[in-house]
Amino acid sequence: MDKEKLKSYVADFVYGATDGTVTTFAVVSGVAGAGLSPSIVIILGLANLFADGFSMGISSYLAGKSRREYYERLKGIEAQHIKKNPYHERALIREMFWKRGFRGSLLDKIVSKITGKKENWIDMLMSKEHGVIDESSSPLQDAVATFSAFVTIGSISLLPFIYALFRPIEHAFLLSTIFTGLTFLLVGAAKGMIVKRNVMLSALEMFFIGGIAAALSYGVGFALQGLA
Ligand SMILES: [Zn+2]
């Protein structure tokens, strides 16, 4: 697997994991705030994991598919340009490498090498004329990465409650909060690594955003506890 492809899957995984953790823990803290039983946490938590995770996977698939269709359409246009006006399209390639400082016979060699293979020629024109590059990731695999991250990482917040089904524990919500906090820090750090930002800052940012979402949800659950 090439590096770009791997990066795309890791990015999808991180986004899925973020959303899965934020939304599932929001459900957990909403239910805890309302003082409902752990089995309700599990039912609502699992429902969120699968319904929301599925919807995220679908939107990731659709977004990837329309990016791909857009790319293929532009490719078709450039193939037409090459057919109709090869001289102009070759000059564009020449200009690209001229700007990068290539001259003389080396420049000629590069241009004829690139324009010798239509696939390469079109790819070069795509970045030159349209500013797009082929991400080469598959929409379906992106969607699977998003969904599986959502479900697996998102379920971490539910683990103490699932455990409590078999062996009652007192502090399931506290444990869930600690697990989720650690997950936010780790996912935030991974995100920082992908977008090449300060890893520590990125981890803390995720921790606070997730914390605010959870606090809001807890507050709503607490305020509405009389309804349940
Ligand atoms: Zn063109």
Side-chain angles (χ1 to χ4, degrees), residues 33-173:
L36 300 175
S37 85
S39 54
I40 306 272
V41 174
I42 295 170
I43 294 166
L44 295 181
L46 286 179
N48 175 72
L49 276 180
F50 286 95
D52 207 359
F54 188 71
S55 125
M56 255 204 99
I58 294 280
S59 24
S60 158
Y61 174 77
L62 292 176
K65 196 164 152 273
S66 64
R67 273 201 306 273
R68 178 129 301 280
E69 280 163 2
Y70 175 67
Y71 191 82
E72 293 304 326
R73 199 160 53 78
L74 290 180
K75 259 176 120 167
I77 292 173
E78 285 315 314
Q80 283 295 317
H81 286 180
I82 288 176
K83 215 180 199 172
K84 275 191 208 145
N85 198 348
Y87 182 81
H88 172 70
E89 300 293 316
R90 191 176 290 118
L92 288 173
I93 301 292
R94 177 170 273 277
E95 188 197 322
M96 280 176 90
F97 286 90
W98 170 272
K99 274 190 183 154
R100 285 173 175 76
F102 294 94
R103 301 287 185 273
S105 66
L106 181 57
L107 180 59
D108 291 340
K109 222 180 255 171
I110 291 170
V111 172
S112 73
K113 180 101 184 157
I114 288 170
T115 58
K117 211 177 156 204
K118 209 169 156 195
E119 195 63 19
N120 292 339
W121 193 353
I122 292 176
D123 278 342
M124 281 282 176
L125 291 171
M126 297 293 283
S127 71
K128 162 86 182 156
E129 290 186 68
H130 307 287
V132 289
I133 48 163
D134 192 1
E135 309 170 357
S136 75
S137 68
S138 117
L140 185 63
Q141 284 167 324
D142 281 346
V144 170
T146 305
F147 177 76
S148 48
F150 193 103
V151 173
T152 52
I153 307 296
S155 67
I156 292 174
S157 310
L158 294 180
L159 289 179
F161 295 97
I162 294 172
Y163 182 83
L165 280 184
F166 303 101
R167 194 179 292 232
I169 42 172
E170 241 177 273
H171 303 294
F173 181 58

